[in-house]
Amino acid sequence: MGSIKLISFNTRGLNAAVKRSQILHNCKKSGADLLLLQETHFRSSKVPKFHRHYFDKWFHAFTPRKNSCGVSIAVAKHISFELLDSYKDRDGRDLLLIGKLEGTLVTLVNFYAPNSHQAKWIRSTLALIDSLKRGELIMGGDLNVSIDPLLDTSSGKSSLSYKTLRHIKTSLHMFSLIDTCRFLHPTDRDYSLYSQPHNSYHRIDYFFIHSSSLPKLLSANIRSSIHSDHSPIDLSLALIPPPLSKPSWRLNETLLSISDIRSKIANRLELYFSQNRTDDTSVPIVWEAHKATIRGEFISDRDARVKQLQIKIEKLEKLHKCSLAISIVSGKGYIFFFFFLG
C-alpha cells in the first residue's frame, strides 16, 4: 500500500504573496499531499486566490482579528477529497473536515491552541472532536505547550505546573491519541520552535492519530525552516496508493553559473560524442540520447548539492541546540554532550 504525506506548519502569517509562494513551493517540493497551516491570518473579507495552484482545494477557519490566528487545510490537485461535513471555530483556532480521502473516510483536524489555559482548551476541543469524528482521525497543529519538558525543551523546564501537564496528558490518553513523533522517536531531543527572546528551543507542534491507526504510521519528523520561528513537521501514513505520474523535468539554470559543473558537463559532452558518434548510428538518435545523459548529470549534481546544503543546515541547528543544552547543564556544575540524531 502507498502512503499519504501531510505537513503541518505554523506560518506566522500567509498574507504576503512572496512568503506564501515560497512556503507552498517548498511544501510541494517536499512531496506533501495535504497541508495543515496555522496562523495564516486569513480573514473572510480578504482571502488569497489559489486557482490553478498545485494545492487547489482549500478550506479555512478565518480569524476575526488582524494578524492573529486563522487555520487552513489544503489538498494537492492529484489527491481526491470529497467533503462530507465540517466544523470551523469562530476564533480561527481549529478546523475539522470529514470527508473521503482517496475513498478512505477520514476526519482531518487542524488546531492552533491558545498560549494560556491550554489544558482547558485541549480538554474541551478533544471532547468536541470525539463527538464529531468519523473514520480515520488525523490531527495536526500548534499545541502551544511542550508535553514532556525534559525531552521537548532545551531547558528541560516548563512554565506550566506539573499538575497542568498531567491533565493534558490525561486528556490525550482518554481519547486514545498518540503523539506520532514521540512514538517513533521515544528518546530524541528535537524541537519545532526557537524562542529568540528566551534563547531556547521547544517542541510544541504535533501530529496525533488514534491508537487504532498505529499500524498505518510510517514516519513523523521535524523539518528545517527559514520562513518562521516554527519548523514544519511531517507525517506519512499508509492510506492511499502513490500518484502515477511525475512532473516533467526542467533545467535549473543556476547550475550553469557554477564553474566546476560547467567543466564537468563540457567534459561529459565531449566524452559522450566521441564514444557514440559512429557511422552505424544516426545523428538524430545520438542527439536525442545525449539529452537524457546530460539530464542525468544535472540531476545528480543538483541532488548532491541540495543534500550537502541540507546536511549543513541540520548540523548548524543541532550545534545550536547542543550549545544551549551544554550551557544550561554547565551552569549546574556538570557538562553533558547531547547528540541529536536525525
Side-chain angles (χ1 to χ4, degrees):
M1 179 181 288
S3 65
I4 186 167
K5 186 173 184 178
L6 302 92
I7 286 181
S8 175
F9 189 20
N10 184 322
T11 62
R12 294 297 295 272
L14 271 186
N15 284 311
V18 173
K19 178 181 178 181
R20 183 171 64 248
S21 176
Q22 290 175 343
I23 288 178
L24 295 181
H25 177 68
N26 287 341
C27 289
K28 174 185 175 181
K29 285 180 61 178
S30 298
D33 300 308
L34 284 90
L35 303 181
L36 279 63
L37 306 175
Q38 302 87 44
E39 280 204 88
T40 59
H41 300 171
F42 292 160
R43 306 181 73 181
S44 57
S45 59
K46 188 178 181 180
V47 187
K49 296 181 179 179
F50 299 97
H51 299 311
R52 299 181 181 179
H53 197 276
Y54 180 79
F55 299 100
D56 62 346
K57 294 176 280 293
W58 285 81
F59 308 89
H60 309 283
F62 298 112
T63 174
R65 298 176 298 277
K66 187 178 181 181
N67 298 331
S68 175
C69 298
V71 295
S72 299
I73 296 177
V75 184
K77 61 184 179 181
H78 64 273
I79 299 295
S80 68
F81 180 73
E82 178 188 354
L83 181 65
L84 302 178
D85 202 357
S86 66
Y87 169 82
K88 303 177 182 180
D89 174 64
R90 64 181 181 180
D91 292 325
R93 288 202 175 274
D94 50 85
L95 171 63
L96 181 149
L97 304 179
I98 299 174
K100 290 187 176 181
L101 183 65
E102 292 289 319
T104 300
L105 183 62
V106 298
T107 297
L108 302 173
V109 181
N110 186 5
F111 58 84
Y112 173 53
N115 55 15
S116 62
H117 307 292
Q118 293 97 324
K120 180 180 178 181
W121 183 89
I122 291 170
R123 183 169 59 252
S124 61
T125 301
L126 292 182
L128 174 65
I129 293 171
D130 189 64
S131 67
L132 297 174
K133 68 178 176 70
R134 295 162 57 189
E136 301 278 349
L137 175 62
I138 306 171
M139 297 177 56
D142 180 353
L143 203 58
N144 252 319
V145 62
S146 297
I147 298 175
D148 185 349
L150 292 177
L151 289 175
D152 295 338
T153 68
S154 59
S155 66
K157 301 177 182 178
S158 174
S159 59
L160 300 180
S161 67
Y162 173 78
K163 182 179 179 181
T164 300
L165 292 174
R166 186 178 61 191
H167 285 326
I168 292 173
K169 293 179 181 179
T170 300
S171 295
L172 294 170
H173 179 73
M174 183 185 304
F175 294 102
S176 301
L177 294 176
I178 303 298
D179 172 4
T180 56
C181 193
R182 182 57 64 211
F183 181 83
L184 292 176
H185 313 283
T187 60
D188 287 4
R189 295 170 63 96
D190 202 357
Y191 315 106
S192 62
L193 171 71
Y194 173 61
S195 174
Q196 189 170 8
H198 300 93
N199 193 29
S200 60
Y201 283 94
H202 308 264
R203 188 172 77 96
I204 64 173
D205 300 272
Y206 300 88
F207 267 116
F208 297 107
I209 60 174
H210 192 271
S211 58
S212 62
S213 299
L214 278 178
K216 300 178 180 179
L217 176 59
L218 300 177
S219 67
N221 300 285
I222 298 175
R223 310 176 65 87
S224 300
S225 175
I226 59 173
H227 300 289
S228 171
D229 53 359
H230 285 255
S231 294
I233 60 174
D234 64 44
L235 171 71
S236 292
L237 295 171
L239 286 180
I240 62 173
L244 298 178
S245 61
K246 295 183 178 180
S248 58
W249 178 82
R250 292 183 62 182
L251 171 64
N252 182 353
E253 295 180 358
T254 58
L255 293 174
L256 298 176
S257 64
I258 303 173
S259 58
D260 58 343
I261 289 183
R262 289 201 308 270
S263 299
K264 179 182 177 181
I265 294 298
N267 293 334
R268 187 68 182 86
L269 281 171
E270 183 177 354
L271 177 63
Y272 171 84
F273 284 112
S274 66
Q275 292 178 339
N276 294 278
R277 194 166 52 187
T278 59
D279 294 336
D280 58 345
T281 305
S282 65
V283 173
I285 291 177
V286 174
W287 180 254
E288 291 299 322
H290 106 278
K291 295 179 183 180
T293 302
I294 298 305
R295 180 168 65 241
E297 293 290 337
F298 276 120
I299 291 174
S300 177
D301 288 331
R302 179 205 62 192
D303 290 346
R305 289 182 174 273
V306 168
K307 187 175 181 179
Q308 291 173 2
L309 180 59
Q310 186 65 32
I311 290 173
K312 288 181 179 179
I313 292 174
E314 291 175 356
K315 283 184 177 179
L316 287 172
E317 285 188 346
K318 292 176 181 179
L319 283 173
H320 193 214
K321 295 173 185 177
C322 185
S323 67
L324 291 177
I326 291 174
S327 64
I328 290 166
V329 179
S330 297
K332 299 178 181 179
Y334 300 91
I335 298 179
F336 293 94
F337 290 90
F338 297 99
F339 294 88
F340 301 85
L341 302 178

